[in-house]
């Protein structure tokens, strides 16, 4: 009934986490890596469990260098049949913005790689919305396989620009927080046909579990909040967001 489109399963008891997810009707999980170690771990977990798939990419916070060696590594990792996307990639100016040009270069280069491999990018944007949107709009030709903006935090005008590119959005536990009014307004604005569910495990557990270790089993709580915001029932949210995830990741 549900798909968790973004959950970092490495560093956890993946078997137990996946079992609990199944009990909560979370049928599939997408596990993204962010650096060489976690990329390799994501692929390993995906290859072990039938209902887990991996994404591979260099997160802006984890990228100290990106050249031929890193590209070769990515190309090796995507040989796995369980890799369904390039990510998470993008821009993050929250903790540092002194390397913005390098972040932009790495982001654009990974968009090119995703396009070449016919895989959708999974895009991380934090405190860098306008720069990220400009890069996406400039590189629209590289988005023919679609893309997912992970944990979207922009406003409705930002969402409108992303929708104009034909892209999709994931929403997680933050949308259940009382202080997430802008995100909740964006959810009301964005068509359900462009929304995927995520937990961002082990981070950002939804209310009333905020502050605990997050798991894919909490997806129904996120679905309930989105259903409330959209004036729909949870079954419809589960069905359509699952269809969306299967469409984007071709699973």
């Amino acid at each position: 009934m549900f798909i968790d489109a973004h959950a970092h399963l490495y560093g956890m008891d993946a078997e137990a986490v996946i079992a609990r997810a199944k009990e909560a009707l979370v049928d599939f999980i997408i596990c993204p890596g962010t650096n060489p170690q976690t990329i390799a771990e994501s692929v390993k977990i995906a290859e072990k469990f039938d209902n887990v798939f991996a994404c591979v990419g260099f997160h802006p916070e984890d990228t100290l260098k990106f050249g031929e060696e890193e590209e070769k590594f990515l190309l090796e990792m995507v040989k796995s049949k369980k890799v369904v996307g390039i990510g998470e990639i993008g821009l993050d100016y929250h903790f540092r913005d002194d390397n913005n040009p390098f972040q932009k270069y790495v982001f654009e280069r990974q968009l090119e790689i995703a396009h070449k491999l016919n895989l959708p990018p999974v895009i991380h944007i934090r405190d860098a919305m306008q720069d990220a949107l400009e890069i996406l709009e400039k590189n629209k030709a590289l988005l023919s396989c679609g893309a997912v903006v992970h944990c979207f935090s922009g406003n409705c005008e930002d969402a409108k620009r992303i929708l104009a590119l034909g892209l999709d959005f994931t929403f997680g536990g933050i949308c259940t927080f009382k202080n997430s009014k802008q995100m909740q307004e964006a959810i009301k604005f964005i068509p359900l046909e462009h929304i995927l569910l995520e937990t961002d495990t082990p981070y950002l557990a939804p209310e009333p579990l905020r502050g605990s270790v997050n798991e894919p089993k909490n997806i129904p709580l996120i679905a309930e909040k989105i259903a409330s915001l959209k004036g729909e029932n949870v079954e419809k949210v589960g069905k359509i967001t699952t269809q969306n995830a299967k469409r984007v990741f071709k699973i």
Side-chain angles (χ1 to χ4, degrees):
M1 181 179 180
F2 300 108
I3 292 179
D4 186 341
H6 199 105
H8 304 280
L9 299 178
Y10 38 83
M12 310 180 77
D13 182 346
E15 186 169 358
V17 169
I18 292 165
R20 288 191 287 270
K22 285 183 177 179
E23 291 177 1
L25 304 180
V26 179
D27 296 325
F28 296 99
I29 300 170
I30 311 295
C31 180
T34 63
N35 58 45
Q37 179 181 343
T38 58
I39 288 169
E41 291 174 356
S42 294
V43 173
K44 184 177 180 179
I45 292 168
E47 290 180 340
K48 182 176 180 180
F49 297 97
D50 291 341
N51 65 327
V52 178
F53 296 86
C55 292
V56 298
F58 284 76
H59 187 289
E61 285 187 321
D62 287 340
T63 306
L64 297 177
K65 68 187 187 75
F66 192 85
E68 290 184 8
E69 182 180 340
E70 288 71 29
E71 289 193 24
K72 183 178 179 180
F73 174 75
L74 275 186
L75 294 175
E76 187 65 29
M77 290 294 99
V78 298
K79 291 179 180 179
S80 171
K81 294 180 179 179
K82 297 301 292 289
V83 172
V84 295
I86 299 297
E88 57 187 289
I89 65 175
L91 301 178
D92 193 319
Y93 299 166
H94 184 70
F95 291 110
R96 60 178 299 184
D97 60 4
D98 58 316
N99 66 339
N100 293 5
F102 180 66
Q103 285 197 39
K104 292 177 183 178
Y105 160 72
V106 175
F107 183 23
E108 291 193 68
R109 182 60 192 139
Q110 289 185 101
L111 289 176
E112 291 171 354
I113 292 170
H115 177 68
K116 179 180 179 180
L117 297 172
N118 293 313
L119 291 171
V122 175
I123 300 166
H124 169 103
I125 305 171
R126 189 178 189 191
D127 295 347
M129 185 62 68
Q130 295 313 306
D131 281 359
L133 289 175
E134 288 176 10
I135 286 173
L136 292 172
E137 289 166 346
K138 182 177 72 173
N139 292 282
K140 183 177 181 179
L142 301 179
L143 303 173
S144 57
C145 288
V148 175
V149 179
H150 145 67
C151 197
F152 176 72
S153 60
N155 57 35
C156 291
E157 286 303 312
D158 299 328
K160 188 181 297 185
R161 291 170 68 180
I162 291 168
L163 286 168
L165 295 170
L167 308 186
D168 297 283
F169 307 75
T170 59
F171 291 100
I174 294 176
C175 77
T176 69
F177 299 172
K178 292 180 180 179
N179 62 347
S180 63
K181 298 301 182 184
Q182 178 173 278
M183 182 177 288
Q184 292 171 4
E185 289 303 312
I187 290 170
K188 293 177 185 178
F189 172 76
I190 297 166
L192 189 54
E193 289 72 19
H194 284 278
I195 291 177
L196 286 68
L197 305 179
E198 69 158 70
T199 56
D200 204 11
T201 294
Y203 316 108
L204 302 171
E207 297 287 3
L209 305 173
R210 187 173 182 180
S212 65
V213 175
N214 204 4
E215 290 191 21
K217 68 179 178 65
N218 296 329
I219 280 285
L221 294 172
I222 297 161
E224 288 171 8
K225 183 62 179 182
I226 290 177
S228 174
L229 292 168
K230 303 293 282 185
E232 300 285 0
N233 59 58
V234 175
E235 289 74 19
K236 182 174 180 180
V237 169
K239 179 181 179 181
I240 294 180
T241 57
T242 293
Q243 290 173 347
N244 297 342
K246 289 182 174 180
R247 166 178 54 80
V248 173
F249 294 111
K250 299 179 178 63
I251 60 175

